[in-house]
Every structure is written in structure tokens, then in C-alpha cells.
Amino acid sequence: WNIQRYYITGRLNSTIYRDDCLFDGPDPDMPVRGLRKYLSAASNLFDSKHSSATLLSSSILWESNDTGDIPGSGKGNYGGGIIEVTWRLEGVLMLPWRPEVKPFSGWTRYHFDKDGLIAIHEEGWDISALEAFAATLFPI
């Protein structure tokens, strides 16, 4: 799994996602349904030469079972399990004034369907969306 390529460039392995995948998180542009919509928004967000992402951990939150129930997820009945990764991200945004994003951490939960494809891509950050937005206007 190449976190540097995905989080910094927006390029991911589209063969493991459903075309109608739901991308949800604190970003004001989310939620977004559909792989193409998400990729068009995520690509070219960071300057890849001055940005980095570090994978901190990965774990299985829930494994698939015969019933397809996802206890307490509130995200639908996809029945293929959930994997969570935590990461740290920092860099320079591709905006005209090139704001620098201070390091922040977050998590991504991948909810798999019964065919093994990612049906929901859910994110959380350790900073608020307001803090992230303010950082683009008033860089460090």
C-alpha cells in the first residue's frame, strides 16, 4: 500500500473500489459518491515534491461473517469487513499562494462489500475542518 502516492497525488488503485463508493469525512467537499468524482477532487491537491504522508498503523476492525452484519457501524450492510489505517500528513497545497499544511494525523476506514471491493472510504482527522481551512488562508 503506497500511502505517499495516494494521499499526496490522489492516485489510488481504482480496481479495489466500487464505482459507486461513498467517500466520507470532515472535508467540506465530502461526502462524495462515486470514484470518478472523488478522484477529480483529490488529484493535484498536494505538491508531491514538498509533501509527505506516513502510515502509522493498520488494523482489522471487523471481519466478514455469514450474516453480513456490521455491528454499530451505521454505514450500511456491506458484509465484507472493515480495515482501519492511521496516518500522518503534511505538505504544501497546490493553491496559488502555496500554503503549507502543518502535520496532522487521521484515520481511514475501508468498508468492504461481499465481493471484496471498498464500498465506503471513511476518514477522520485530529483537527477540525475549520482548522484545516484556516491553515490554507493563514499558513504556518
Side-chain angles (χ1 to χ4, degrees), residues 98-119:
R98 313 285 287 173
E100 186 175 334
V101 176
K102 67 179 183 174
F104 71 98
S105 298
W107 52 263
T108 303
R109 289 185 187 133
Y110 301 100
H111 298 249
F112 293 87
D113 68 11
K114 290 182 181 185
D115 295 323
L117 296 175
I118 299 170

Side-chain angles (χ1 to χ4, degrees), residues 50-78:
H50 299 98
S51 303
S52 66
T54 305
L55 178 65
L56 302 175
S57 69
S58 63
S59 60
I60 297 172
L61 295 184
W62 179 80
E63 293 187 52
S64 177
N65 64 29
D66 292 337
T67 67
D69 294 332
I70 302 174
S73 76
K75 291 289 180 180
N77 185 1
Y78 291 99

